[in-house]
Amino acid sequence: MKRVAAIDCGTNSIRLLVADLDPETGELKDLDRRMKIVRLGQGVDRTGRLAPEALERTFAACREYAAVIEELGAERLRFVATSASRDAENRDDFVRGVVDILGVEPEVITGDQEAEFSFTGATKELTGRDDLEKPYLVVDIGGGSTEFVLGSDSVRAARSVDVGCVRMTERHLVRDGEVIDPPGTEQIAAIKADIAAALDKAAEAVPLDGAHTLVGLAGSVTTIAGIALGLPEYDSAAIHHSRIPLTKVREITERLLRSTHDERAAIPVMHAGRVDVIAAGALVLLSIMERTGAEEVVVSEHDILDGIAWKVADELD
């Protein structure tokens, strides 16, 4: 077993995984898996820059993660940064801060690399299952972007598009610094139009109707699964590999779009950092399912973070 650490820093959250992995058997044993909502992408779509307060929230999480990594004795760390730091003019400030705290330079990966990591993390455990037919379409709905990856044992086609729960919320649901609560018909229509355009772009590279199994990743999808399952609190084990039908996703999306901040915050599985962005995230998922013709989504708690860890383990050979 190889002990490695992986950090995935996205637009909305930063996550850590320290795990023991066996590349030969495909076994991954969590030692520590945690997430913090830091909103690194706060305002990036509007200003093109990472906000000072967003950087400080991210660096505070990095300091916490550095202590965990040192305590558990990981052989190697890989830090991957996604959409927000890819877009920002002042990304060098972000890079310097991470190096100072963790001793490694964040890799600001391309959308296609992001998609490959997501596919590996989401599908490695599905090998050998006869109830989930290949090929898979893996969709990773992030804060600033969504990755689409089609493949069976390896990636066949991939595309990243700039539509995500934070980006859609900030673009269409914020007025005078406050989230419109609940959104009106006009705002919902604008989000749907952006999502439809993004799906058209994704379809240029990835046959969206070419998969037998839709696999959904990241916080918007797992939160919707927790709501669908009626969980009294967030339960990763119950959510992992749950299968949520289209009818349920549509019902939950409509409910979230009608709800107020307090009503969403009262949902037992809802992380405080997702309250304002979950409606847009749900709408992205619903639009994908309707476009692809998927009757259900298989929800995976293992995603880009696990894919990064597997890549680190492979490099230790």
Coordinates of all heavy atoms in Angstrom, one line a residue, residues 13-92:
S13 N -14.9 24.9 -3.2 CA -14.4 24.1 -2.1 C -12.9 23.7 -2.3 O -12.4 23.7 -3.4 CB -15.3 22.9 -1.9 OG -15.2 22.0 -3.0
I14 N -12.3 23.4 -1.2 CA -11.0 22.8 -1.2 C -11.0 21.5 -0.4 O -11.6 21.5 0.7 CB -9.9 23.7 -0.7 CG1 -8.5 23.1 -0.8 CG2 -10.1 24.2 0.7 CD1 -7.3 24.1 -0.6
R15 N -10.5 20.4 -1.0 CA -10.7 19.1 -0.4 C -9.4 18.4 -0.2 O -8.5 18.5 -1.1 CB -11.7 18.2 -1.2 CG -13.0 18.9 -1.3 CD -14.0 18.0 -2.1 NE -13.4 17.7 -3.4 CZ -13.6 16.6 -4.2 NH1 -14.3 15.6 -3.6 NH2 -13.1 16.5 -5.4
L16 N -9.3 17.6 0.8 CA -8.1 16.8 1.1 C -8.4 15.3 1.2 O -9.4 15.0 1.8 CB -7.4 17.3 2.4 CG -6.3 16.4 3.0 CD1 -5.1 16.5 2.2 CD2 -6.0 16.7 4.5
L17 N -7.5 14.5 0.6 CA -7.6 13.1 0.8 C -6.2 12.6 1.1 O -5.3 12.8 0.4 CB -8.1 12.4 -0.5 CG -8.0 10.8 -0.5 CD1 -8.9 10.2 0.6 CD2 -8.4 10.3 -1.8
V18 N -6.1 11.9 2.3 CA -4.9 11.1 2.6 C -5.4 9.7 2.6 O -6.3 9.3 3.3 CB -4.3 11.5 3.9 CG1 -3.0 10.7 4.2 CG2 -4.0 13.0 4.0
A19 N -4.7 8.8 1.8 CA -5.2 7.4 1.7 C -4.0 6.5 1.4 O -3.0 6.9 1.0 CB -6.2 7.4 0.5
D20 N -4.3 5.2 1.8 CA -3.4 4.1 1.4 C -4.0 3.5 0.2 O -5.2 3.1 0.2 CB -3.3 3.1 2.5 CG -2.5 3.6 3.7 OD1 -1.6 4.4 3.5 OD2 -2.7 3.1 4.8
L21 N -3.2 3.3 -0.9 CA -3.7 2.8 -2.2 C -2.9 1.6 -2.6 O -1.7 1.6 -2.4 CB -3.7 3.8 -3.3 CG -4.6 5.0 -3.1 CD1 -3.8 6.2 -2.3 CD2 -5.0 5.6 -4.5
D22 N -3.5 0.6 -3.2 CA -2.9 -0.5 -3.8 C -3.2 -0.5 -5.3 O -4.3 -0.9 -5.7 CB -3.4 -1.8 -3.2 CG -2.6 -3.1 -3.6 OD1 -2.0 -3.0 -4.8 OD2 -2.5 -4.1 -2.9
P23 N -2.3 -0.1 -6.1 CA -2.6 0.0 -7.6 C -2.9 -1.3 -8.2 O -3.6 -1.4 -9.2 CB -1.3 0.6 -8.2 CG -0.7 1.4 -7.0 CD -1.0 0.5 -5.8
E24 N -2.4 -2.4 -7.6 CA -2.6 -3.7 -8.3 C -4.0 -4.2 -8.0 O -4.7 -4.8 -8.9 CB -1.6 -4.8 -7.7 CG -0.2 -4.5 -8.2 CD 0.7 -5.6 -7.8 OE1 0.3 -6.7 -7.3 OE2 2.0 -5.5 -7.9
T25 N -4.6 -4.0 -6.9 CA -5.9 -4.5 -6.5 C -7.0 -3.4 -6.7 O -8.2 -3.8 -6.8 CB -6.0 -5.0 -5.1 OG1 -5.8 -3.8 -4.2 CG2 -4.9 -6.0 -4.8
G26 N -6.6 -2.2 -6.9 CA -7.6 -1.1 -7.0 C -8.2 -0.7 -5.6 O -9.2 0.0 -5.6
E27 N -7.6 -1.1 -4.5 CA -8.1 -0.8 -3.2 C -7.6 0.6 -2.8 O -6.4 0.9 -2.9 CB -7.7 -1.8 -2.2 CG -8.2 -1.5 -0.8 CD -7.6 -2.5 0.3 OE1 -6.9 -3.4 -0.1 OE2 -8.0 -2.3 1.4
L28 N -8.6 1.4 -2.3 CA -8.2 2.7 -1.8 C -8.8 2.8 -0.4 O -10.0 2.7 -0.2 CB -8.8 3.8 -2.6 CG -8.5 5.3 -2.3 CD1 -8.5 6.2 -3.5 CD2 -9.5 5.8 -1.3
K29 N -8.0 3.0 0.6 CA -8.4 3.1 2.0 C -8.2 4.5 2.5 O -7.1 5.0 2.6 CB -7.7 2.1 2.9 CG -8.1 2.1 4.4 CD -7.2 1.2 5.2 CE -7.6 1.2 6.7 NZ -6.7 0.4 7.5
D30 N -9.3 5.2 2.9 CA -9.3 6.6 3.4 C -8.6 6.6 4.8 O -8.9 5.8 5.6 CB -10.7 7.1 3.6 CG -11.3 7.5 2.2 OD1 -10.8 7.1 1.2 OD2 -12.3 8.2 2.3
L31 N -7.7 7.5 5.0 CA -7.2 7.8 6.3 C -7.7 9.1 6.8 O -8.0 9.3 8.0 CB -5.6 7.9 6.2 CG -4.9 6.6 5.8 CD1 -3.4 6.8 5.7 CD2 -5.2 5.5 6.8
D32 N -7.9 10.1 5.8 CA -8.5 11.3 6.2 C -9.1 11.9 4.9 O -8.4 12.0 3.9 CB -7.5 12.3 6.8 CG -8.2 13.5 7.5 OD1 -8.9 14.2 6.9 OD2 -8.0 13.6 8.8
R33 N -10.4 12.3 4.9 CA -11.0 12.9 3.8 C -11.8 14.1 4.4 O -12.7 13.9 5.1 CB -11.9 11.9 3.0 CG -12.5 12.5 1.7 CD -13.5 11.5 1.1 NE -12.9 10.3 0.6 CZ -12.6 10.0 -0.6 NH1 -12.8 11.0 -1.6 NH2 -12.0 8.9 -1.0
R34 N -11.5 15.3 3.9 CA -12.2 16.4 4.5 C -12.4 17.5 3.4 O -11.7 17.5 2.4 CB -11.6 17.0 5.7 CG -10.2 17.5 5.5 CD -9.6 18.0 6.8 NE -9.3 16.9 7.8 CZ -9.0 17.1 9.1 NH1 -8.9 18.3 9.5 NH2 -8.7 16.1 9.9
M35 N -13.3 18.4 3.7 CA -13.7 19.5 2.7 C -14.0 20.8 3.5 O -14.6 20.7 4.5 CB -14.9 19.0 1.9 CG -15.3 20.0 0.8 SD -16.6 21.2 1.4 CE -18.0 20.1 1.5
K36 N -13.6 21.9 2.9 CA -14.0 23.2 3.4 C -14.5 24.0 2.2 O -13.9 24.0 1.2 CB -12.8 23.9 4.1 CG -12.4 23.3 5.4 CD -11.5 24.1 6.2 CE -11.3 23.6 7.6 NZ -12.5 23.7 8.4
I37 N -15.6 24.7 2.5 CA -16.1 25.7 1.5 C -15.3 27.0 1.7 O -15.4 27.6 2.8 CB -17.6 26.0 1.7 CG1 -18.4 24.7 1.6 CG2 -18.0 27.0 0.7 CD1 -18.5 24.1 0.2
V38 N -14.5 27.4 0.7 CA -13.7 28.6 0.8 C -14.0 29.6 -0.2 O -13.5 30.8 -0.2 CB -12.2 28.2 0.7 CG1 -11.7 27.4 1.9 CG2 -11.8 27.5 -0.6
R39 N -14.8 29.3 -1.2 CA -15.3 30.2 -2.3 C -14.1 30.9 -2.9 O -14.1 32.2 -3.0 CB -16.3 31.2 -1.7 CG -17.6 30.6 -1.3 CD -18.5 30.4 -2.5 NE -19.8 29.8 -2.1 CZ -20.8 30.4 -1.7 NH1 -20.8 31.7 -1.7 NH2 -21.9 29.8 -1.4
L40 N -13.0 30.2 -3.3 CA -11.9 30.8 -3.9 C -12.3 31.6 -5.2 O -11.7 32.6 -5.5 CB -10.9 29.7 -4.4 CG -9.6 30.2 -5.1 CD1 -8.8 31.2 -4.2 CD2 -8.8 29.0 -5.5
G41 N -13.4 31.1 -5.8 CA -13.8 31.8 -7.1 C -14.7 33.0 -6.8 O -15.4 33.5 -7.8
Q42 N -14.8 33.4 -5.6 CA -15.7 34.6 -5.3 C -15.5 35.8 -6.2 O -14.4 36.3 -6.2 CB -15.5 35.0 -3.8 CG -16.2 36.3 -3.4 CD -15.7 36.8 -2.1 OE1 -15.3 36.0 -1.2 NE2 -15.8 38.1 -1.9
G43 N -16.4 36.1 -7.0 CA -16.3 37.3 -7.9 C -15.4 37.2 -9.1 O -15.3 38.1 -9.9
V44 N -14.8 36.0 -9.3 CA -13.9 35.9 -10.5 C -14.6 36.1 -11.8 O -14.0 36.7 -12.7 CB -13.2 34.5 -10.4 CG1 -12.5 34.2 -11.8 CG2 -12.2 34.5 -9.3
D45 N -15.8 35.6 -11.9 CA -16.5 35.8 -13.2 C -16.7 37.2 -13.5 O -16.8 37.6 -14.7 CB -17.9 35.0 -13.1 CG -18.5 34.9 -14.5 OD1 -17.8 34.4 -15.4 OD2 -19.7 35.2 -14.6
R46 N -16.8 38.1 -12.5 CA -17.1 39.5 -12.7 C -15.8 40.3 -12.8 O -15.7 41.2 -13.6 CB -18.0 40.0 -11.5 CG -18.3 41.5 -11.6 CD -19.2 41.9 -10.4 NE -18.8 41.5 -9.1 CZ -17.9 42.1 -8.4 NH1 -17.3 43.2 -8.8 NH2 -17.5 41.6 -7.2
T47 N -14.8 40.0 -11.9 CA -13.6 40.9 -11.8 C -12.4 40.3 -12.5 O -11.5 41.1 -12.8 CB -13.3 41.1 -10.3 OG1 -12.8 39.8 -9.8 CG2 -14.4 41.6 -9.5
G48 N -12.4 39.0 -12.7 CA -11.2 38.4 -13.3 C -10.1 38.2 -12.3 O -9.0 37.8 -12.7
R49 N -10.3 38.5 -11.0 CA -9.3 38.4 -10.0 C -9.8 37.6 -8.8 O -11.0 37.6 -8.5 CB -8.8 39.8 -9.5 CG -8.2 40.6 -10.6 CD -7.8 42.0 -10.1 NE -6.8 41.9 -9.1 CZ -5.5 41.7 -9.3 NH1 -5.0 41.6 -10.5 NH2 -4.7 41.6 -8.2
L50 N -8.8 36.9 -8.1 CA -9.1 36.3 -6.8 C -9.2 37.3 -5.7 O -8.2 38.1 -5.6 CB -8.1 35.2 -6.5 CG -7.9 34.1 -7.5 CD1 -6.6 33.3 -7.3 CD2 -9.1 33.1 -7.5
A51 N -10.3 37.3 -5.0 CA -10.5 38.3 -3.9 C -9.5 38.0 -2.8 O -9.3 36.8 -2.4 CB -11.9 38.3 -3.4
P52 N -9.0 39.1 -2.1 CA -8.1 38.9 -1.0 C -8.7 38.0 0.1 O -8.0 37.1 0.7 CB -7.8 40.3 -0.5 CG -8.0 41.2 -1.6 CD -9.1 40.5 -2.4
E53 N -9.9 38.2 0.4 CA -10.6 37.4 1.5 C -10.7 35.9 1.1 O -10.7 35.0 1.9 CB -11.9 38.0 1.9 CG -13.0 38.1 0.8 CD -12.9 39.4 0.1 OE1 -11.8 40.0 -0.1 OE2 -14.0 39.8 -0.4
A54 N -11.0 35.7 -0.2 CA -11.1 34.3 -0.7 C -9.7 33.6 -0.6 O -9.6 32.5 -0.3 CB -11.6 34.4 -2.2
L55 N -8.7 34.3 -1.0 CA -7.3 33.8 -0.8 C -7.0 33.4 0.6 O -6.5 32.3 0.9 CB -6.3 34.8 -1.4 CG -6.2 34.9 -2.9 CD1 -5.3 36.1 -3.3 CD2 -5.6 33.6 -3.5
E56 N -7.4 34.3 1.5 CA -7.0 34.0 2.9 C -7.8 32.8 3.5 O -7.3 32.0 4.2 CB -7.3 35.3 3.8 CG -6.9 35.1 5.3 CD -5.6 34.4 5.5 OE1 -4.6 34.9 4.8 OE2 -5.5 33.5 6.3
R57 N -9.1 32.7 3.1 CA -9.9 31.5 3.5 C -9.2 30.2 2.9 O -9.2 29.2 3.6 CB -11.3 31.6 2.9 CG -12.2 32.7 3.6 CD -13.6 32.5 3.2 NE -13.9 32.6 1.8 CZ -14.3 33.7 1.2 NH1 -14.4 34.9 1.9 NH2 -14.5 33.8 -0.1
T58 N -8.7 30.3 1.7 CA -8.1 29.1 1.1 C -6.8 28.8 1.8 O -6.5 27.6 2.1 CB -7.9 29.4 -0.4 OG1 -9.1 29.7 -1.0 CG2 -7.3 28.2 -1.1
F59 N -6.0 29.8 2.1 CA -4.7 29.6 2.8 C -4.9 29.0 4.2 O -4.1 28.2 4.7 CB -3.9 30.9 2.8 CG -3.5 31.4 1.5 CD1 -3.2 32.7 1.3 CD2 -3.3 30.5 0.4 CE1 -2.8 33.2 0.0 CE2 -2.9 30.9 -0.9 CZ -2.7 32.3 -1.0
A60 N -6.0 29.5 4.9 CA -6.3 28.9 6.2 C -6.6 27.5 6.1 O -6.1 26.7 7.0 CB -7.5 29.7 6.8
A61 N -7.3 27.0 5.1 CA -7.6 25.6 4.9 C -6.3 24.9 4.6 O -6.1 23.7 5.1 CB -8.6 25.4 3.8
C62 N -5.4 25.5 3.8 CA -4.2 24.8 3.5 C -3.3 24.6 4.7 O -2.6 23.5 4.8 CB -3.4 25.7 2.4 SG -4.0 25.7 0.8
R63 N -3.3 25.5 5.6 CA -2.5 25.4 6.9 C -3.1 24.2 7.7 O -2.3 23.4 8.2 CB -2.5 26.7 7.7 CG -1.7 27.8 7.1 CD -1.5 29.0 8.0 NE -2.7 29.8 7.9 CZ -2.9 30.8 7.0 NH1 -1.9 31.1 6.2 NH2 -3.9 31.6 7.1
E64 N -4.4 24.1 7.7 CA -5.0 22.9 8.4 C -4.6 21.6 7.8 O -4.2 20.6 8.4 CB -6.5 23.1 8.4 CG -7.3 21.9 9.0 CD -8.8 22.0 8.9 OE1 -9.3 23.1 9.2 OE2 -9.4 21.0 8.6
Y65 N -4.7 21.6 6.4 CA -4.4 20.4 5.7 C -2.9 20.0 5.8 O -2.5 18.8 5.9 CB -4.7 20.5 4.2 CG -6.2 20.6 3.9 CD1 -6.7 20.8 2.6 CD2 -7.2 20.5 5.0 CE1 -8.0 20.9 2.4 CE2 -8.5 20.6 4.7 CZ -9.0 20.8 3.4 OH -10.3 20.9 3.1
A66 N -2.0 21.0 5.9 CA -0.6 20.7 6.0 C -0.3 19.9 7.3 O 0.5 19.0 7.4 CB 0.2 22.0 6.0
A67 N -1.0 20.3 8.4 CA -0.8 19.6 9.7 C -1.3 18.2 9.6 O -0.6 17.3 10.1 CB -1.6 20.4 10.8
V68 N -2.4 17.9 8.9 CA -2.9 16.6 8.8 C -2.0 15.7 8.0 O -1.7 14.6 8.3 CB -4.3 16.6 8.1 CG1 -4.8 15.2 7.8 CG2 -5.3 17.3 8.9
I69 N -1.5 16.3 6.9 CA -0.6 15.5 6.0 C 0.7 15.1 6.7 O 1.2 14.0 6.6 CB -0.2 16.4 4.7 CG1 -1.5 16.5 3.9 CG2 0.9 15.7 3.9 CD1 -1.4 17.6 2.8
E70 N 1.2 16.1 7.5 CA 2.5 15.8 8.3 C 2.2 14.7 9.3 O 3.0 13.8 9.5 CB 3.0 17.1 9.0 CG 4.2 16.9 9.7 CD 4.8 18.2 10.3 OE1 4.1 19.2 10.2 OE2 5.9 18.1 10.9
E71 N 1.0 14.8 10.0 CA 0.7 13.9 11.1 C 0.6 12.4 10.5 O 1.0 11.5 11.2 CB -0.6 14.3 11.8 CG -1.0 13.3 12.9 CD -2.4 13.7 13.5 OE1 -2.8 14.8 13.2 OE2 -2.9 12.9 14.2
L72 N 0.0 12.3 9.4 CA -0.3 11.0 8.8 C 0.9 10.4 8.0 O 0.9 9.3 7.6 CB -1.5 11.0 7.9 CG -2.8 11.2 8.7 CD1 -4.0 11.3 7.8 CD2 -3.1 10.1 9.7
G73 N 1.9 11.3 7.7 CA 3.1 10.8 7.0 C 2.9 10.4 5.6 O 3.4 9.3 5.2
A74 N 2.2 11.1 4.8 CA 2.0 10.8 3.4 C 3.4 10.9 2.6 O 4.2 11.8 2.9 CB 1.1 11.8 2.7
E75 N 3.6 9.9 1.7 CA 4.9 9.9 1.0 C 5.0 11.1 0.0 O 6.1 11.6 -0.2 CB 5.0 8.6 0.2 CG 5.1 7.3 1.1 CD 5.2 6.1 0.2 OE1 6.1 6.0 -0.6 OE2 4.3 5.2 0.3
R76 N 3.9 11.5 -0.6 CA 3.9 12.5 -1.6 C 2.6 13.2 -1.6 O 1.5 12.6 -1.4 CB 4.3 12.0 -3.0 CG 4.5 13.0 -4.0 CD 4.8 12.4 -5.4 NE 6.1 11.8 -5.3 CZ 6.7 11.2 -6.3 NH1 6.0 11.1 -7.5 NH2 7.9 10.6 -6.2
L77 N 2.6 14.5 -1.9 CA 1.4 15.3 -2.0 C 1.3 15.9 -3.4 O 2.3 16.3 -4.0 CB 1.4 16.5 -1.0 CG 0.5 17.7 -1.3 CD1 -1.0 17.2 -1.1 CD2 0.8 18.8 -0.4
R78 N 0.1 15.9 -4.0 CA -0.2 16.6 -5.2 C -1.3 17.5 -5.0 O -2.4 17.1 -4.5 CB -0.5 15.6 -6.3 CG -0.5 16.2 -7.7 CD -0.5 15.1 -8.8 NE -0.5 15.7 -10.1 CZ -0.3 15.0 -11.3 NH1 -0.2 13.7 -11.2 NH2 -0.3 15.6 -12.4
F79 N -1.1 18.7 -5.5 CA -2.2 19.8 -5.3 C -2.6 20.2 -6.7 O -1.8 20.7 -7.5 CB -1.5 21.0 -4.5 CG -2.5 22.1 -4.1 CD1 -2.7 22.4 -2.8 CD2 -3.1 22.8 -5.1 CE1 -3.5 23.4 -2.4 CE2 -4.0 23.9 -4.7 CZ -4.2 24.1 -3.4
V80 N -3.9 20.0 -6.9 CA -4.5 20.4 -8.2 C -5.5 21.5 -8.0 O -6.3 21.5 -7.2 CB -5.1 19.2 -8.9 CG1 -6.0 19.6 -10.0 CG2 -4.1 18.2 -9.3
A81 N -5.3 22.5 -8.9 CA -6.2 23.7 -8.8 C -7.0 23.7 -10.1 O -6.5 23.5 -11.2 CB -5.4 25.0 -8.6
T82 N -8.3 24.1 -10.0 CA -9.2 24.0 -11.2 C -9.7 25.4 -11.6 O -8.9 26.3 -11.6 CB -10.3 23.0 -10.9 OG1 -11.0 23.4 -9.7 CG2 -9.8 21.6 -10.7
S83 N -10.9 25.5 -11.9 CA -11.4 26.6 -12.7 C -11.1 28.0 -12.2 O -10.6 28.8 -13.0 CB -12.9 26.4 -12.9 OG -13.5 27.5 -13.6
A84 N -11.3 28.3 -11.0 CA -11.1 29.7 -10.5 C -9.7 30.2 -10.7 O -9.5 31.3 -11.2 CB -11.5 29.8 -9.1
S85 N -8.7 29.4 -10.3 CA -7.3 29.8 -10.4 C -6.8 29.8 -11.9 O -5.8 30.4 -12.2 CB -6.4 29.0 -9.5 OG -6.6 27.6 -9.8
R86 N -7.5 29.0 -12.7 CA -7.2 29.0 -14.2 C -7.6 30.3 -14.8 O -6.9 30.8 -15.7 CB -8.0 27.9 -14.8 CG -7.3 27.3 -16.0 CD -7.9 26.0 -16.5 NE -9.3 25.9 -16.5 CZ -10.1 24.9 -16.0 NH1 -9.5 23.9 -15.5 NH2 -11.4 25.0 -16.1
D87 N -8.7 31.0 -14.3 CA -9.2 32.2 -14.9 C -8.6 33.5 -14.4 O -8.8 34.5 -15.0 CB -10.8 32.2 -14.7 CG -11.5 31.0 -15.3 OD1 -10.9 30.4 -16.2 OD2 -12.6 30.7 -14.8
A88 N -8.1 33.4 -13.2 CA -7.7 34.7 -12.5 C -6.5 35.3 -12.9 O -5.4 34.7 -13.2 CB -7.7 34.4 -11.0
E89 N -6.5 36.7 -13.0 CA -5.3 37.5 -13.4 C -4.2 37.4 -12.4 O -3.0 37.4 -12.7 CB -5.7 38.9 -13.6 CG -6.7 39.2 -14.7 CD -7.1 40.6 -14.7 OE1 -6.7 41.4 -13.9 OE2 -8.0 41.0 -15.5
N90 N -4.6 37.3 -11.1 CA -3.6 37.3 -10.0 C -3.4 35.9 -9.4 O -3.1 35.7 -8.2 CB -4.1 38.2 -8.9 CG -5.4 37.8 -8.3 OD1 -6.2 37.2 -8.9 ND2 -5.6 38.2 -7.0
R91 N -3.4 34.9 -10.3 CA -3.2 33.5 -9.8 C -1.8 33.3 -9.3 O -1.6 32.3 -8.5 CB -3.5 32.5 -11.0 CG -2.6 32.7 -12.2 CD -3.0 31.6 -13.3 NE -2.3 31.8 -14.5 CZ -2.7 32.5 -15.5 NH1 -3.9 33.1 -15.4 NH2 -2.0 32.6 -16.6
D92 N -0.8 34.1 -9.6 CA 0.5 34.0 -9.0 C 0.5 34.2 -7.5 O 1.3 33.6 -6.8 CB 1.5 35.0 -9.6 CG 1.9 34.6 -11.1 OD1 1.5 33.5 -11.5 OD2 2.4 35.5 -11.8

